[in-house]
Amino acid sequence: MNKMKYRRYKDKAFLYLMFLITIIAITPLASIIFELVAKGFNQLNISFFTEVAPTTLDSMLAKSTGNPVKGGIANGIVGTLQIVGIASLMAIPLGVFVGIYLAENSNKKFSTLVSFSTDLLAGIPSIVYGIIAYAWIVIKITDGYSGFAGSVALSIMMLPLVIRSTEESIKMIPASLKEASLALGTSYRKTILRVILPSAMSGLFTGILLSISRVIGETAPLILTALGSQVINLDITKPTSAIPLLIWEFYNDPYLINMIWSSSLFLMLLVLIFNISAKQISKRWAIQ
Amino acid sequence: MGNTINNNNIALHIEDLSIAYTKDKYAVKGINADIYKNTITAIMGPSGCGKSTLLRAINRMHELYPEIKVTGNILMKDQNIFKINAMEVRQKIGMVFQRPNPFPSMSIYENVLAGYSLNGIKLKKEEKDRIVQEVLEDVGLWEEVKDTLHKKRTALSGGQQQRLCIARSIAMKPDILLLDEPTSALDPISTSKIEELLMKLKDKFTIVIVTHNMSQAARISEYSMFMYLGDLIEYDLTKKMFTNPNDKRTEQYLTGKFG
């Protein structure tokens, strides 16, 4: 009987221990969010979204006259939308087709090779993509730093994620659906495009959104490619700003410390929105 | 088979058909049989006897798996179905599967017309509406779904889904309808609805049904095949086979000695 009691205590203690460890683990996470909100929230005003980032001169002048530094991150927001948008345009169609190919031909040697390369691609540090895009695009094509080079770097980063999620979601579609379509006399191409792909939409979309949220905060590859810009630049062959690039610039400027927090908070919210949308879509569009 | 058969009554002429999954391992062994127009032919036999394999070969579903090798001929209106385009064959020979598999990304309306839309056949709005209503009435689903035709992801029961799949197949007006154990995943009420439906549909189509369920074969079919280990042991009028089978193995199967 005593032994049983002892065991019950041990179970209780184990439960509390797990609880305690969970608390310890989420403490840094909670602190990060708290710090970002506390230090960045009051900077999130209209001008934060409409004005371009202040220069060092602006901030020095403001500081010396005792006024608050004016300015926002409009150039970064526009740049991020542009760089990530073009990266998505390149990576998503490509990745979806590769994913379909892998799912449909999983027992071919070539697929194993592609699959292995995809895994390898996913494991490459992001700065290496930056260097590659620098060598391929900045030097050879746009002849200088450019938003397009940044898009290329980010799109290669997105590829493995899009490929994998497409492959996985297509493999989840039961073979009976494909048979049903073919049994109606449908061609293979239409079976894939009109039956299989729409049925896999939920998984596909989730994967795409997660891949976007994965690259939206990338800084290292952009430093080597897009470089940054003081103004809103819509020419993809010219240096372009981005939110993570601005955070890096603000960090290098002692007068702009407040902008770091608000930009980081905004970036975090952006990623959060993508992640929540991904979850919602996978739930709502899921097909039984 | 005793009775003389007029050639015009033959929907399918199966000639020395063998199907192998791996080399020299035959799932179907040299089958010869004629399937008669506007009848229901049941294919029975224990698991693994090759009955589904045979059925799937009739609309060339086996071609999805390149390792499967088929020899022999199947003639439909004097045309060898292995010599013409598979897509054409499948438009003339529809298939309904064991598990209901309506297209989840489409509404009921779109499901019924899937054969047309997926094959790029354009129809006028009135024509579409007419086909959908006619076919859904044929399968006895119209009253149940007429208000939710265009809604996506409507919750249909298994039996309703299977009737929708039959509707999808017959909307294409095939000559032959193949059914691979269409009621094995359904409850008794849905099963009897589908059986009634098939008895009605045989006026318009030639039906070949694989079934595990002997009493189902007895209830709905005119002709029955009994297969065992890839061989066609016996093929006769269902009445004759169930009352006075020629082969001992058929008798043993029908009396539940194995299977």
Side-chain angles (χ1 to χ4, degrees):
Chain A
M1 209 54 210
N2 256 346
K3 208 175 167 191
M4 286 305 280
K5 224 175 187 176
Y6 179 58
R7 275 171 66 171
R8 272 226 313 271
Y9 283 136
K10 273 210 295 193
D11 274 0
K12 269 254 167 72
F14 182 64
L15 207 65
Y16 287 132
L17 185 70
M18 284 196 294
F19 182 69
L20 192 72
I21 289 173
T22 310
I23 294 287
I24 293 170
I26 62 161
T27 303
L29 186 70
S31 321
I32 291 171
I33 296 173
F34 178 77
E35 185 139 9
L36 287 182
V37 173
K39 293 187 170 164
F41 187 72
N42 45 16
Q43 277 274 330
L44 285 183
N45 44 30
I46 303 238
S47 65
F48 180 78
F49 298 101
T50 55
E51 286 174 34
V52 297
T55 60
T56 312
L57 192 66
D58 289 340
S59 53
M60 274 169 72
L61 283 173
K63 200 90 177 176
S64 63
T65 55
N67 291 326
V69 182
K70 278 188 175 170
I73 58 163
N75 51 336
I77 296 174
V78 173
T80 287
L81 287 179
Q82 182 189 319
I83 292 172
V84 174
I86 290 169
S88 305
L89 283 182
M90 294 190 284
I92 293 166
L94 216 65
V96 167
F97 273 101
V98 175
I100 295 172
Y101 180 84
L102 290 183
E104 283 291 302
N105 301 281
S106 53
N107 46 9
K108 283 192 184 150
K109 267 200 185 120
F110 179 63
S111 305
T112 321
L113 189 74
V114 175
S115 218
F116 179 71
S117 320
T118 308
D119 287 341
L120 213 61
L121 207 61
I124 294 175
S126 64
I127 185 117
V128 177
Y129 292 113
I131 292 168
I132 293 292
Y134 177 81
W136 290 353
I137 313 292
V138 172
I139 293 180
K140 295 199 174 133
I141 296 178
T142 54
D143 196 23
Y145 294 104
S146 65
F148 179 66
S151 297
V152 170
L154 295 190
S155 75
I156 306 175
M157 273 193 81
M158 287 173 75
L159 260 183
L161 293 160
V162 179
I163 291 173
R164 274 279 172 264
S165 62
T166 308
E167 185 188 357
E168 294 306 321
S169 22
I170 292 211
K171 277 187 175 164
M172 295 270 284
I173 304 296
S176 65
L177 221 54
K178 190 175 168 189
E179 292 185 342
S181 172
L182 292 171
L184 288 169
T186 313
S187 66
Y188 177 71
R189 179 179 64 93
K190 286 218 168 147
T191 298
I192 296 293
L193 295 179
R194 303 268 307 271
V195 176
I196 306 295
L197 217 47
S199 308
M201 224 20 136
S202 130
L204 222 90
F205 235 85
T206 308
I208 287 170
L209 286 183
L210 288 178
S211 73
I212 292 174
S213 79
R214 166 85 183 77
V215 299
I216 206 166
E218 273 300 330
T219 320
L222 293 187
I223 292 177
L224 295 170
T225 50
L227 189 68
S229 164
Q230 304 269 333
V231 293
I232 292 177
N233 164 50
L234 296 175
D235 183 351
I236 59 168
T237 64
K238 293 279 175 307
T240 308
S241 189
I243 303 168
L245 280 177
L246 282 179
I247 295 176
W248 169 242
E249 285 165 23
F250 295 152
Y251 167 78
N252 287 318
D253 194 324
Y255 294 106
L256 292 174
I257 199 79
N258 282 344
M259 299 290 283
I260 294 182
W261 299 109
S262 45
S263 308
S264 304
L265 178 63
F266 179 63
L267 197 57
M268 187 192 77
L269 289 175
L270 215 58
V271 171
L272 198 69
I273 289 169
F274 272 107
N275 286 353
I276 290 173
S277 321
K279 269 209 180 120
Q280 284 302 316
I281 284 176
S282 80
K283 232 193 278 173
R284 195 143 329 152
W285 292 12
I287 279 163
Q288 273 78 40
Chain B
M1 224 164 296
N3 40 355
T4 47
I5 305 295
N6 183 343
N7 244 0
N8 291 333
N9 285 336
I10 294 174
L12 282 175
H13 177 69
I14 302 172
E15 211 173 72
D16 200 23
L17 187 77
S18 294
I19 304 168
Y21 280 92
T22 49
K23 205 168 179 289
D24 297 326
K25 196 166 167 281
Y26 285 92
V28 171
K29 302 169 187 165
I31 284 185
N32 289 290
D34 287 330
I35 306 286
Y36 304 109
K37 275 184 189 163
N38 298 103
T39 63
I40 299 181
T41 303
I43 309 179
M44 295 181 294
S47 301
C49 70
K51 53 192 192 305
S52 281
T53 308
L54 169 64
L55 190 81
R56 291 166 64 88
I58 298 176
N59 81 342
R60 293 173 59 176
M61 268 296 132
H62 63 272
E63 285 169 22
L64 287 173
Y65 308 94
E67 66 275 14
I68 300 178
K69 295 279 175 280
V70 174
T71 56
N73 299 317
I74 299 178
L75 302 179
M76 178 174 64
K77 291 177 185 158
D78 296 324
Q79 259 187 322
N80 189 343
I81 66 156
F82 294 127
K83 297 262 162 69
I84 47 180
N85 188 317
M87 289 182 245
E88 205 178 311
V89 173
R90 291 174 191 149
Q91 285 178 27
K92 287 181 185 151
I93 305 179
M95 179 134 182
V96 175
F97 298 84
Q98 190 169 359
R99 294 210 158 266
N101 51 7
F103 299 131
S105 55
M106 298 183 190
S107 66
I108 293 171
Y109 188 89
E110 291 168 324
N111 257 293
V112 174
L113 294 169
Y116 292 95
S117 59
L118 292 174
N119 282 300
I121 303 167
K122 297 254 185 309
L123 296 173
K124 288 198 190 95
K125 174 86 170 63
E126 310 89 72
E127 215 169 342
K128 284 185 186 171
D129 291 347
R130 188 181 56 76
I131 292 174
V132 169
Q133 179 166 1
E134 192 181 292
V135 170
L136 287 178
E137 276 172 355
D138 271 351
V139 301
L141 211 53
W142 177 252
E143 288 302 322
E144 293 160 50
V145 303
K146 65 179 178 190
D147 299 322
T148 52
L149 281 181
H150 295 281
K151 250 174 72 184
K152 291 196 178 180
R153 280 181 277 280
T154 39
L156 295 178
S157 72
Q160 288 175 319
Q161 287 184 30
Q162 194 62 300
R163 278 184 283 156
L164 178 59
C165 291
I166 294 174
R168 182 175 64 189
S169 280
I170 64 175
M172 292 296 284
K173 303 203 170 16
D175 298 326
I176 299 163
L177 189 61
L178 309 173
L179 301 108
D180 190 0
E181 299 192 39
T183 60
S184 66
L186 303 182
D187 61 273
I189 294 169
S190 307
T191 298
S192 77
K193 275 190 180 163
I194 298 231
E195 287 179 5
E196 279 167 35
L197 166 64
L198 294 178
M199 311 257 275
K200 208 175 72 184
L201 288 179
K202 74 175 180 190
D203 295 336
K204 292 184 183 171
F205 311 98
T206 302
I207 295 174
V208 185
I209 177 171
V210 162
T211 178
H212 230 83
N213 181 335
M214 279 177 270
S215 51
Q216 181 170 64
R219 279 194 299 270
I220 65 173
S221 70
E222 277 96 353
Y223 292 93
S224 288
M225 290 184 186
F226 172 64
M227 288 182 70
Y228 184 59
L229 299 175
D231 288 308
L232 178 56
I233 305 294
E234 194 162 343
Y235 177 27
D236 212 329
L237 286 163
T238 303
K239 266 189 195 137
K240 162 86 169 45
M241 196 191 279
F242 274 79
T243 50
N244 187 15
N246 285 332
D247 197 284
K248 202 157 174 58
R249 286 165 294 183
T250 315
E251 190 184 332
Q252 284 174 336
Y253 178 72
L254 292 175
T255 51
K257 298 257 165 55
F258 68 89

